[in-house]
């Protein structure tokens, strides 16, 4: 409660600001609604009441006319005697104020008591006697009316609870009914699907394994069941077909692998023949290309690899110590113009050369090739029993003879003595070819040529027994292999073509 001085101060500040919110914000009291009531009272009476309760009651009496009070009480009596409904429909007053109007009107109180007493008599006569006893016992009208109003209010609350409960029970029953209908529908669909699956199983048994339409599943062996499952797995789930045929998942996949293994048995002699014709140098990738390119057989690389493993078609690779031709610094140093860039966009732009040794029981054989960086093809090569100047010079002159007038390739080599002798340098200068050399002890500087040597030795040399083979016979075998390497051996990097086939596909001069 606020004192008279506080209320007068609030009125004075409001008259200065003319704003309820600013006044409340400055003083910290009261709320806007209370301040509005104080201002209305001040404007009407010219002063603020001294006692809050007495003045407040007078204020509410003076705020609404007798006609408005009578209308509100009449509406309450005629429309269900509900305070909340009356306030909501008329828009005035508050619930507490309407209760005060009802309690302060003797005529209305007696009417309400009698009316409610007669209504209660229909359900319980004792209530009527109690009400009149209460009246005769001089219990205040206020308490009697409050009891009746509270009881009516409680009856409203109970009715709304019963209504919500009935609505909830109705929704629950409806949901249960819908759920039962949905479950029945799903069960019918499942039965229909199982019937269709059984029909298709009998149909596939008749078409694929020549069984009667009425065959019993128990009479089918696991292989036959696997065939039926493979035929139906795209239309039905594997789990459902396994259930119909009464076969476990592990048994199905075991028999499936057996069928796949037998399915590709026809490839065994074909793959074996290709492997032998390639000097036993083709792995599964190249054999896969041959099958697709020449025989139009499309299978997975994994199938080719599995068959080669089962048939023991393995490419043997053995590494041995490489031949070293370095004899020291015999001539001035030559810069490394290739600088490990072995890529070339045209033929006869970059050549690589080196010497490698083949040691067999009959003796040693040396190979000196010229490798073109464009496609890895061999420009020329020479084979001999001694790594001398004649071996490399013959190879170089043979390669130069295949050049056009405007072609001046860079010839890259290591620091071997063969490429620092006067005759080699003279041939290079006379034909205006550019020299390039690796650093001392840096084999990666000529890795493309070193890779070529490793490839041919792994494919045709290390996996052979050369006992009883003469030097001349070995030179013939090596020369035939190099011809095949250049003209027929396919390279994955060239799209499954040999170097010569690749140049021919580009329309280049061979």
């Amino acid at each position: 409660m606020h004192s008279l001085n506080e209320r007068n101060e609030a009125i004075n500040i409001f008259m200065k600001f003319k704003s309820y919110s600013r006044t409340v914000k400055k003083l910290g009291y009261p709320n806007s609604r209370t301040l509005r009531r104080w201002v209305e009272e001040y404007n009407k009476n010219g002063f603020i009441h001294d006692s809050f309760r007495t003045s407040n009651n007078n204020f509410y009496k003076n705020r609404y006319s007798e006609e408005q009070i009578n209308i509100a009480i009449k509406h309450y009596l005629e429309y269900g005697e509900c305070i909340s409904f009356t306030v909501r429909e008329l828009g005035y007053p508050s619930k507490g104020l309407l209760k005060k109007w009802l309690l302060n009107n003797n005529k209305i109180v007696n009417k309400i008591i009698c009316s409610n007493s007669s209504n209660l008599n229909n359900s319980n006569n004792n209530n009527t006697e109690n009400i009149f006893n209460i009246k005769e016992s001089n219990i205040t009208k206020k308490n009697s009316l409050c009891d009746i109003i509270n009881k009516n209010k409680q009856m409203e609350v109970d009715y709304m609870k019963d209504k919500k409960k009935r609505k909830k029970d109705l929704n629950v029953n409806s949901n249960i009914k819908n759920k039962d209908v949905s479950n029945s529908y799903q069960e019918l669909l499942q039965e229909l699907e199982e019937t269709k699956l059984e029909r298709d199983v009998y149909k596939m048994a008749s078409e694929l394994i020549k069984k009667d339409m009425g065959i019993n599943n128990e009479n089918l062996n696991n292989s036959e069941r696997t065939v039926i499952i493979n035929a139906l797995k795209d239309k039905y789930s594997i789990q459902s077909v396994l259930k119909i045929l009464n076969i476990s998942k592990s048994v199905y996949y075991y028999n499936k692998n057996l069928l796949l293994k037998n399915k590709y048995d026809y490839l065994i002699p074909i793959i074996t023949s290709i492997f032998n014709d390639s000097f036993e140098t083709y792995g599964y990738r190249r054999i896969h290309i041959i099958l697709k390119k020449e025989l139009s057989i499309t299978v997975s690389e994994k199938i080719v690899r599995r068959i080669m493993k089962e048939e023991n078609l393995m490419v043997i690779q053995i590494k041995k110590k490489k031949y070293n031709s370095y004899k020291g610094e015999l001539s001035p140093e030559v810069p490394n113009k290739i600088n490990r860039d072995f890529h070339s966009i045209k033929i006869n732009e970059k050549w690589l050369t080196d010497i490698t040794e083949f040691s067999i029981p009959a003796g040693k054989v040396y190979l000196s090739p010229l490798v073109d960086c464009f496609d890895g093809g061999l420009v020329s090569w020479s084979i001999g029993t001694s790594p001398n100047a004649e071996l490399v010079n013959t190879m170089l002159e043979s390669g130069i003879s295949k050049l056009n007038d405007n072609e001046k390739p860079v010839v890259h080599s290591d620091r071997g003595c063969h490429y620092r002798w006067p005759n080699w340098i003279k041939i290079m200068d006379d034909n205006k070819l550019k020299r390039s050399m690796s650093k001392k002890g840096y084999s990666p500087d000529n890795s493309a040529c070193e890779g070529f040597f490793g490839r041919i030795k792994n494919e045709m040399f290390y996996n052979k027994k050369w006992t009883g083979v003469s030097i001349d016979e070995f030179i013939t075998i090596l020369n035939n292999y190099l011809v095949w390497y250049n003209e027929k051996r396919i390279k994955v990097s060239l799209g499954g073509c040999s170097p010569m086939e690749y140049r021919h596909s580009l329309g280049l001069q061979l």
Side-chain angles (χ1 to χ4, degrees):
M1 307 300 293
H2 300 283
S3 63
L4 180 61
N5 292 333
E6 291 176 336
R7 282 177 277 165
N8 287 328
E9 183 182 4
I11 294 297
N12 293 333
I13 294 177
F14 172 80
M15 294 302 178
K16 178 181 179 181
F17 290 150
K18 300 295 182 181
S19 172
Y20 293 104
S21 59
R22 291 183 62 186
T23 302
V24 172
K25 184 175 181 181
K26 180 174 181 61
L27 293 176
Y29 73 90
N31 55 41
S32 298
R33 184 176 178 180
T34 302
L35 179 60
R36 188 184 301 274
R37 191 167 64 245
W38 293 351
V39 173
E40 290 178 358
E41 182 184 0
Y42 179 81
N43 292 334
K44 186 174 182 179
N45 302 327
F47 61 88
I48 297 297
H49 59 273
D50 295 336
S51 174
F52 179 77
R53 291 188 179 276
T54 303
S55 298
N56 194 33
N57 291 336
N58 294 333
F59 168 73
Y60 279 116
K61 287 182 179 179
N62 296 331
R63 184 178 183 186
Y64 297 98
S65 64
E66 289 294 331
E67 182 181 0
Q68 289 175 314
I69 294 173
N70 293 331
I71 291 174
I73 295 175
K74 182 179 180 181
H75 187 279
Y76 169 81
L77 295 174
E78 291 180 354
Y79 293 95
E81 299 180 356
C82 178
I83 292 178
S84 299
F85 180 74
T86 301
V87 172
R88 187 166 59 251
E89 288 296 315
L90 297 180
Y92 76 92
S94 64
K95 294 180 182 180
L97 185 56
L98 180 57
K99 288 181 182 179
K100 291 180 180 180
W101 291 351
L102 294 173
L103 293 172
N104 292 331
N105 193 311
N106 295 330
K107 182 178 179 180
I108 300 302
V109 169
N110 293 333
K111 184 177 181 180
I112 292 173
I113 293 175
C114 295
S115 175
N116 283 279
S117 298
S118 61
N119 291 336
L120 293 172
N121 186 40
N122 296 329
S123 58
N124 192 342
N125 293 328
N126 294 330
N127 291 341
T128 304
E129 295 175 1
N130 292 335
I131 291 175
F132 283 104
N133 290 333
I134 291 172
K135 186 176 181 182
E136 292 172 358
S137 301
N138 296 323
I139 297 177
T140 61
K141 297 176 288 183
K142 176 178 179 180
N143 292 336
S144 301
L145 183 60
C146 286
D147 291 341
I148 296 171
I149 291 174
N150 290 335
K151 187 166 185 177
N152 286 339
K153 186 174 182 180
Q154 184 63 35
M155 291 173 65
E156 276 189 73
V157 173
D158 293 341
Y159 173 77
M160 293 304 296
K161 286 184 179 180
D162 292 340
K163 183 177 179 180
K164 290 182 180 179
K165 184 177 180 181
R166 290 194 300 272
K167 185 175 180 181
K168 183 177 180 181
D169 293 340
L170 182 62
N171 292 335
V172 170
N173 294 333
S174 177
N175 292 335
I176 292 174
K177 185 177 180 180
N178 294 334
K179 188 175 181 180
D180 293 339
V181 173
S182 177
N183 291 338
S184 300
Y185 179 70
Q186 294 296 332
E187 290 175 358
L188 289 175
L189 287 180
Q190 185 175 358
E191 291 178 3
L192 178 61
E193 189 72 12
E194 291 178 355
T195 303
K196 290 172 61 179
L197 176 56
E198 290 179 358
R199 182 201 63 187
D200 290 343
V201 167
Y202 291 131
K203 183 179 178 181
M204 289 300 169
S206 175
E207 294 179 357
L208 298 179
I209 55 180
K210 309 303 179 184
K211 298 288 184 179
D212 295 333
M213 287 296 290
I215 188 68
N216 190 345
N217 291 338
E218 300 298 330
N219 296 332
L220 297 174
N221 58 41
N222 290 335
S223 298
E224 292 171 341
R225 297 179 188 184
T226 302
V227 172
I228 295 175
I229 295 172
N230 288 337
L232 296 176
K233 66 180 182 180
D234 294 333
K235 187 176 181 181
Y236 302 99
S237 66
I238 292 180
Q239 196 66 33
S240 60
V241 186
L242 290 174
K243 183 178 179 181
I244 291 294
L245 291 173
N246 193 21
I247 180 175
S248 67
K249 190 175 181 180
S250 59
V251 173
Y252 161 66
Y253 280 107
Y254 175 76
N255 284 274
K256 181 182 178 182
N257 291 332
L258 289 180
L259 292 176
L260 288 177
K261 182 177 180 181
N262 298 332
K263 179 180 178 180
Y264 297 107
D265 285 348
Y266 75 97
L267 289 176
I268 294 177
I270 299 175
I271 293 176
T272 303
S273 176
I274 296 174
F275 181 76
N276 293 331
D277 292 343
S278 68
F279 296 92
E280 300 181 357
T281 61
Y282 278 2
Y284 72 92
R285 292 185 181 87
R286 288 189 175 86
I287 292 180
H288 176 263
I289 293 174
I290 293 294
L291 290 174
K292 184 177 180 180
K293 178 181 177 182
E294 298 183 4
L295 304 179
S296 300
I297 298 176
T298 303
V299 293
S300 171
E301 288 185 351
K302 295 180 180 179
I303 300 298
V304 179
R305 183 171 59 188
R306 177 175 60 79
I307 293 176
M308 292 184 68
K309 183 178 181 180
E310 292 174 353
E311 299 299 319
N312 199 26
L313 303 178
M314 307 299 292
V315 179
I316 301 176
Q317 298 181 352
I318 302 176
K319 293 184 178 180
K320 289 189 176 182
K321 186 178 179 180
K322 298 179 181 180
Y323 167 77
N324 189 355
S325 62
Y326 182 73
K327 303 297 181 182
E329 300 294 329
L330 303 177
S331 62
E333 181 180 354
V334 175
N336 186 355
K337 297 180 180 179
I338 295 293
N339 196 24
R340 300 189 187 182
D341 180 13
F342 303 111
H343 176 72
S344 177
I345 60 175
K346 61 181 180 179
I347 61 174
N348 298 328
E349 181 183 25
K350 297 176 183 179
W351 286 353
L352 309 176
T353 186
D354 202 349
I355 296 177
T356 189
E357 177 186 273
F358 296 87
S359 180
I360 61 174
K364 293 183 179 181
V365 177
Y366 298 90
L367 169 66
S368 177
L370 270 178
V371 181
D372 196 328
C373 289
F374 174 70
D375 52 10
L378 300 178
V379 181
S380 64
W381 65 84
S382 59
I383 304 174
T385 57
S386 177
N388 51 28
E390 182 181 0
L391 183 71
V392 295
N393 292 344
T394 302
M395 174 269 302
L396 181 60
E397 290 174 349
S398 176
I400 292 173
S401 65
K402 300 177 182 179
L403 293 174
N404 296 325
D405 294 338
N406 59 342
E407 293 177 335
K408 307 295 180 183
V410 177
V411 182
H412 183 77
S413 65
D414 60 11
R415 292 185 177 273
C417 59
H418 321 86
Y419 314 112
R420 309 184 79 167
W421 286 338
N423 286 342
W424 173 273
I425 298 174
K426 184 176 184 302
I427 295 173
M428 294 286 291
D429 292 341
D430 291 344
N431 292 276
K432 299 182 180 180
L433 303 184
K434 302 174 183 178
R435 297 171 63 200
S436 175
M437 283 188 177
S438 306
K439 291 183 180 180
K440 178 182 176 182
Y442 277 68
S443 59
D445 284 353
N446 199 15
S447 58
C449 192
E450 298 288 352
F452 166 73
F453 290 152
R455 194 174 305 117
I456 64 175
K457 288 186 177 182
N458 285 330
E459 291 183 354
M460 62 79 56
F461 181 66
Y462 290 145
N463 58 341
K464 304 288 185 179
K465 293 183 179 180
W466 301 103
T467 304
V469 179
S470 64
I471 295 295
D472 293 337
E473 290 174 343
F474 180 80
I475 291 175
T476 301
I477 294 173
L478 177 58
N479 189 71
N480 291 338
Y481 171 82
L482 295 176
V483 172
W484 173 81
Y485 181 93
N486 220 28
E487 297 180 358
K488 295 184 178 181
R489 181 186 181 278
I490 61 175
K491 298 182 66 174
V492 177
S493 61
L494 298 180
C497 298
S498 67
M500 294 300 105
E501 289 174 345
Y502 181 68
R503 295 191 182 192
H504 181 73
S505 66
L506 295 178
L508 300 176
Q509 183 179 0
L510 303 179

